[in-house]
Coordinates of all heavy atoms in Angstrom, one line a residue:
M77 N 113.1 112.1 106.0 CA 113.5 111.5 107.3 C 114.6 110.4 107.0 O 114.4 109.6 106.1 CB 112.3 111.0 108.0 CG 111.3 112.0 108.4 SD 112.0 113.3 109.5 CE 111.9 112.5 111.1
A78 N 115.6 110.4 107.9 CA 116.7 109.5 107.6 C 117.3 109.0 108.9 O 117.2 109.6 110.0 CB 117.8 110.3 106.9
V79 N 118.0 107.8 108.8 CA 118.8 107.3 109.9 C 120.2 107.1 109.3 O 120.3 106.2 108.4 CB 118.2 105.9 110.3 CG1 119.1 105.3 111.4 CG2 116.8 106.1 110.9
P80 N 121.1 107.9 109.7 CA 122.5 107.7 109.3 C 123.1 106.4 109.8 O 122.7 105.9 110.9 CB 123.3 108.9 109.8 CG 122.3 109.8 110.4 CD 121.0 109.0 110.7
A81 N 124.0 105.8 109.0 CA 124.6 104.5 109.4 C 125.3 104.4 110.7 O 125.3 103.4 111.4 CB 125.5 104.0 108.3
F82 N 125.8 105.5 111.2 CA 126.6 105.5 112.4 C 125.8 105.7 113.7 O 126.3 105.6 114.8 CB 127.7 106.6 112.3 CG 127.1 108.0 112.1 CD1 126.5 108.7 113.1 CD2 127.1 108.5 110.8 CE1 126.0 110.0 112.8 CE2 126.6 109.8 110.5 CZ 126.0 110.5 111.5
V83 N 124.5 105.8 113.6 CA 123.6 106.0 114.7 C 123.4 104.6 115.4 O 123.0 103.6 114.7 CB 122.3 106.6 114.3 CG1 121.3 106.5 115.5 CG2 122.5 108.0 113.9
G84 N 123.5 104.5 116.7 CA 123.2 103.3 117.4 C 124.2 102.2 117.2 O 125.3 102.4 116.7
H85 N 123.8 101.0 117.6 CA 124.6 99.8 117.5 C 123.9 98.8 116.6 O 122.7 98.9 116.4 CB 124.8 99.1 118.9 CG 125.5 100.1 119.9 ND1 126.8 100.4 119.8 CD2 124.9 100.8 120.9 CE1 127.1 101.3 120.8 NE2 126.0 101.5 121.5
K86 N 124.7 97.7 116.2 CA 124.1 96.7 115.3 C 122.8 96.2 115.9 O 122.7 95.9 117.1 CB 125.1 95.6 115.1 CG 124.7 94.6 114.1 CD 125.8 93.6 113.8 CE 125.5 92.5 112.8 NZ 124.1 92.1 112.6
N87 N 121.8 96.0 115.1 CA 120.5 95.5 115.5 C 119.6 96.4 116.3 O 118.5 96.1 116.7 CB 120.6 94.1 116.2 CG 121.2 93.1 115.3 OD1 121.2 93.2 114.1 ND2 121.8 92.0 115.9
D88 N 120.1 97.6 116.6 CA 119.2 98.6 117.3 C 118.1 99.0 116.3 O 118.3 98.9 115.1 CB 120.0 99.9 117.6 CG 120.8 99.8 118.9 OD1 120.7 98.7 119.6 OD2 121.4 100.8 119.3
M89 N 117.0 99.5 116.8 CA 115.8 99.8 116.0 C 115.4 101.3 116.2 O 115.5 101.8 117.3 CB 114.6 99.0 116.4 CG 114.8 97.5 116.4 SD 114.7 96.9 114.7 CE 114.8 95.2 115.1
G90 N 115.0 101.9 115.1 CA 114.3 103.2 115.2 C 113.0 103.2 114.5 O 112.9 102.6 113.4
R91 N 111.9 103.6 115.1 CA 110.6 103.5 114.5 C 110.0 104.9 114.4 O 110.0 105.7 115.3 CB 109.7 102.6 115.4 CG 110.1 101.2 115.3 CD 109.2 100.3 116.1 NE 109.9 99.1 116.5 CZ 110.6 98.9 117.6 NH1 110.5 99.8 118.5 NH2 111.2 97.8 117.8
L92 N 109.4 105.1 113.2 CA 108.7 106.4 112.9 C 107.3 106.0 112.5 O 107.1 105.2 111.6 CB 109.4 107.1 111.8 CG 108.9 108.5 111.4 CD1 109.1 109.4 112.6 CD2 109.7 109.0 110.2
K93 N 106.3 106.5 113.3 CA 104.9 106.0 113.1 C 104.1 107.1 112.5 O 104.1 108.3 112.9 CB 104.4 105.7 114.5 CG 103.1 104.9 114.5 CD 102.6 104.6 115.9 CE 103.4 103.3 116.4 NZ 102.8 102.8 117.6
L94 N 103.3 106.7 111.5 CA 102.3 107.6 110.8 C 101.0 107.2 111.3 O 100.5 106.1 111.2 CB 102.4 107.3 109.3 CG 101.3 107.9 108.4 CD1 101.3 109.4 108.6 CD2 101.4 107.5 107.0
L95 N 100.3 108.2 112.0 CA 99.0 107.9 112.6 C 97.9 108.2 111.6 O 97.9 109.2 110.9 CB 98.8 108.8 113.8 CG 99.8 108.6 114.9 CD1 99.6 109.6 116.1 CD2 100.0 107.2 115.4
L96 N 97.1 107.2 111.4 CA 96.0 107.3 110.4 C 94.7 107.4 111.1 O 94.3 106.4 111.8 CB 96.0 106.1 109.4 CG 97.3 105.8 108.7 CD1 97.2 104.5 108.0 CD2 97.5 106.9 107.7
T97 N 93.9 108.4 111.0 CA 92.7 108.6 111.8 C 91.4 108.4 111.0 O 90.5 107.8 111.5 CB 92.7 109.9 112.4 OG1 93.0 110.9 111.5 CG2 93.6 110.0 113.6
D98 N 91.4 108.8 109.7 CA 90.1 108.8 109.0 C 89.9 107.8 107.9 O 89.2 108.0 107.0 CB 89.9 110.2 108.4 CG 90.0 111.3 109.5 OD1 89.5 111.0 110.6 OD2 90.5 112.4 109.2
L99 N 90.5 106.6 108.1 CA 90.4 105.6 107.0 C 89.0 104.9 107.2 O 88.6 104.5 108.3 CB 91.5 104.5 107.1 CG 92.9 105.1 106.8 CD1 93.8 103.9 106.6 CD2 93.0 106.0 105.6
K100 N 88.3 104.8 106.1 CA 86.9 104.2 106.2 C 87.0 102.7 106.2 O 87.8 102.1 105.5 CB 86.1 104.6 104.9 CG 85.8 106.0 104.9 CD 85.0 106.3 103.6 CE 84.7 107.8 103.5 NZ 85.9 108.6 103.2
P101 N 86.2 102.0 107.0 CA 86.2 100.5 107.1 C 85.8 100.0 105.7 O 85.1 100.7 104.9 CB 85.2 100.2 108.1 CG 85.0 101.4 108.9 CD 85.3 102.6 108.0
K102 N 86.2 98.8 105.4 CA 85.8 98.0 104.2 C 86.2 98.8 102.9 O 85.4 98.8 102.0 CB 84.3 97.7 104.2 CG 84.0 96.7 105.3 CD 82.6 96.1 105.1 CE 82.3 95.0 106.1 NZ 82.8 95.1 107.4
S103 N 87.3 99.4 102.9 CA 87.8 100.1 101.7 C 89.3 99.8 101.6 O 89.9 99.5 102.6 CB 87.5 101.6 101.7 OG 87.8 102.1 102.9
S104 N 89.8 100.0 100.4 CA 91.2 99.8 100.2 C 92.0 101.1 99.9 O 91.4 102.0 99.4 CB 91.5 98.7 99.2 OG 90.9 99.0 98.0
Y105 N 93.2 101.1 100.4 CA 94.1 102.3 100.2 C 95.4 101.8 99.7 O 95.8 100.6 99.8 CB 94.3 103.0 101.5 CG 93.0 103.6 102.1 CD1 92.2 102.9 102.9 CD2 92.7 104.9 101.8 CE1 91.0 103.4 103.3 CE2 91.5 105.5 102.2 CZ 90.7 104.8 103.0 OH 89.5 105.3 103.5
C106 N 96.2 102.7 99.2 CA 97.6 102.4 98.8 C 98.5 103.4 99.4 O 98.3 104.6 99.3 CB 97.7 102.4 97.2 SG 99.4 102.0 96.7
L107 N 99.5 102.9 100.1 CA 100.5 103.8 100.7 C 101.7 103.7 99.7 O 102.2 102.6 99.4 CB 100.9 103.3 102.0 CG 101.9 104.2 102.8 CD1 101.2 105.4 103.4 CD2 102.6 103.4 103.9
I108 N 102.1 104.9 99.2 CA 103.2 104.9 98.3 C 104.3 105.8 98.9 O 104.0 106.8 99.5 CB 102.8 105.6 96.9 CG1 101.7 104.8 96.3 CG2 104.0 105.7 95.9 CD1 101.0 105.4 95.1

């Protein structure tokens, strides 16, 4: 997934969200 430099105007934002549903409470994970 990419955002080319010519998209939008200076300081515009694009957000891509990863939904996490099954993470167990009180445990640690690493996102790489």
Side-chain angles (χ1 to χ4, degrees):
M77 294 301 276
V79 176
F82 54 80
V83 169
H85 302 286
K86 188 174 178 333
N87 301 338
D88 276 3
M89 305 280 186
R91 292 184 201 93
L92 188 62
K93 191 177 281 190
L94 170 60
L95 303 180
L96 302 170
T97 44
D98 301 325
L99 298 193
K100 295 179 180 68
K102 298 197 171 30
S103 44
S104 53
Y105 294 88
C106 181
L107 185 76
I108 302 174

